[in-house]
């Protein structure tokens, strides 16, 4: 399965770069509240200046009981009420937009420190499993069903939606809808341990046709290695008992402790955004994952020679 080219790639997430319905609503609320607060601040500072350095009659007028009541009580109540009504109105519009279940549903589980991603069928069964990367069709609503396998995590995808916690024993729903194709960066936003900052989630938004093509390819088992180095890598993968923790569909590897590696070569990054994907990064990760992500549950494999590491990396990089 090849990885479709998508642009642009978001280097850092930003609440000011709204590319989805929910994110646009949230950004709109932000600007309105910021503008309202700024106007009130300027007005208060102007009145303070007049009260300190203004002419005597004006200063006396500012101290009148009626002005104090109107400016200090009536105006704040009316202004805050207007902002509250506006905010509740936008929030209600967002809730109404999520009344119906989306056709695409993706179950995302936060783990220490990576994301388990399962695409669901209409009955809630698993179509396929992947990790640390979500692909969605542009212009179509997508529901993320959020859970945690250990501690409290939080998904934050500011360009597409808001922030929502992942709580052990409970499932929350987050609605996404991307307006444009691209790669959008997300982050765990709830401190969850030593590598919390290295728990990145990428959302790849594709044209619906490209998404369906990807989905069909992603459901296929791993391709059999053809090159001699890749065949050697697969043999090492099995000998080292990597299949105890990882699944590679179409092989005897059925472990579920770690990420599914069936199409790991097509992903943008390794270890939830810690390293760019590639043969060199795969070699480094296999040899010493603790160097890149201290505390990760994958053990180091320093016993492999350079040639063996290269063969393993070639095999994994070829799983597309």
């Amino acid at each position: 399965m090849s990885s479709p080219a998508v642009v642009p790639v978001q280097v850092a997430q930003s609440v000011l770069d709204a590319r989805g319905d929910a994110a646009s609503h949230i950004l709109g609320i932000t600007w309105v509240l910021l503008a309202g607060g700024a106007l009130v601040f300027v007005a208060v500072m102007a009145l303070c200046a007049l009260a300190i350095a203004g002419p005597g009659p004006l200063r006396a007028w500012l101290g009148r009981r009626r002005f104090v009541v109107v400016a200090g009580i009536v105006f704040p109540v009316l202004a805050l009420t207007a902002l509250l009504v506006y905010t509740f109105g936008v929030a209600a519009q967002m809730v109404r937009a999520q009344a119906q279940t989306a056709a695409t549903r993706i179950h995302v589980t936060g783990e220490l420190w990576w994301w388990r991603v399962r695409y669901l069928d209409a009955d809630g069964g698993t179509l396929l499993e992947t990790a640390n990367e979500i692909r969605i069709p542009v212009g179509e609503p997508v529901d993320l069903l959020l859970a945690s396998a250990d501690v409290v995590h939080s998904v934050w995808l500011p360009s597409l939606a808001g922030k929502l916690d992942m709580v052990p024993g409970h499932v929350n729903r987050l609605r996404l809808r991307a307006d444009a194709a691209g790669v959008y960066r997300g982050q765990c936003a709830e401190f969850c341990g030593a590598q919390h900052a290295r728990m990145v989630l990428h959302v790849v938004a594709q044209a619906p046709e490209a998404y369906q093509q990807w989905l069909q390819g992603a459901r296929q088992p791993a391709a059999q290695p053809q090159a001699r180095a890749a065949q050697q890598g697969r043999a090492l993968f099995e000998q080292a008992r990597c299949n105890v923790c990882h699944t590679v569909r179409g092989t005897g590897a059925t472990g579920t402790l770690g990420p599914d590696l069936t199409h790991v070569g097509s992903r943008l990054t390794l270890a939830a955004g810690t390293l760019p994907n590639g043969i060199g990064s795969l070699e480094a990760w296999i040899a010493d994952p603790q160097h890149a992500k201290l505390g990760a549950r994958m053990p180091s494999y320093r016993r492999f020679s350079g040639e063996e590491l290269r063969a393993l990396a070639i095999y994994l990089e070829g799983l597309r």
Side-chain angles (χ1 to χ4, degrees), residues 5-10 19 136-139 160 178-184 203-208 210:
V6 287
V7 291
V9 177
Q10 194 175 53
R19 300 299 180 92
I136 64 174
V138 171
L160 299 177
D179 294 335
V183 180
Y184 302 104
V203 176
V204 182
Q206 302 174 273

Side-chain angles (χ1 to χ4, degrees), residues 3-18:
S3 180
V6 287
V7 291
V9 177
Q10 194 175 53
V11 177
Q13 65 269 16
S14 173
V15 295
L16 302 179
D17 185 22

Side-chain angles (χ1 to χ4, degrees), residues 225-239:
Q226 301 299 319
R228 181 177 179 181
Q231 293 174 351
Q232 180 187 2
R234 175 173 172 174
L236 289 168
F237 184 90
E238 295 172 349
Q239 292 169 14

Side-chain angles (χ1 to χ4, degrees), residues 263-309:
H263 299 297
V264 65
S266 66
R267 295 174 194 161
L268 297 173
T269 66
L270 301 174
T274 303
L275 298 170
N277 200 355
I279 291 178
S281 296
L282 283 163
E283 289 184 72
W285 178 255
I286 295 168
D288 191 4
Q290 300 304 312
H291 178 75
K293 200 166 187 174
L294 184 63
R297 294 181 176 179
M298 178 172 168
S300 299
Y301 286 90
R302 297 189 184 93
R303 67 176 182 270
F304 288 132
S305 66
E307 181 180 345
E308 290 172 331
L309 283 173

Side-chain angles (χ1 to χ4, degrees), residues 1-3 130 135 214 217-218 220-226 230-231 233-234 237-238 242 246-251 253 259-268 270 277 279 282 286 311-320:
M1 182 187 69
S2 61
S3 180
T130 181
R135 292 182 183 252
W214 170 83
Q220 302 303 313
Q224 297 299 316
Q226 301 299 319
Q231 293 174 351
R234 175 173 172 174
F237 184 90
E238 295 172 349
C242 300
H246 298 285
T247 289
V248 178
R249 282 178 276 120
T251 74
D260 187 302
L261 301 180
T262 303
H263 299 297
V264 65
S266 66
R267 295 174 194 161
L268 297 173
L270 301 174
N277 200 355
I279 291 178
L282 283 163
I286 295 168
L312 266 169
I314 289 173
Y315 167 61
L316 293 173
E317 198 272 339
L319 294 178
R320 294 174 175 270

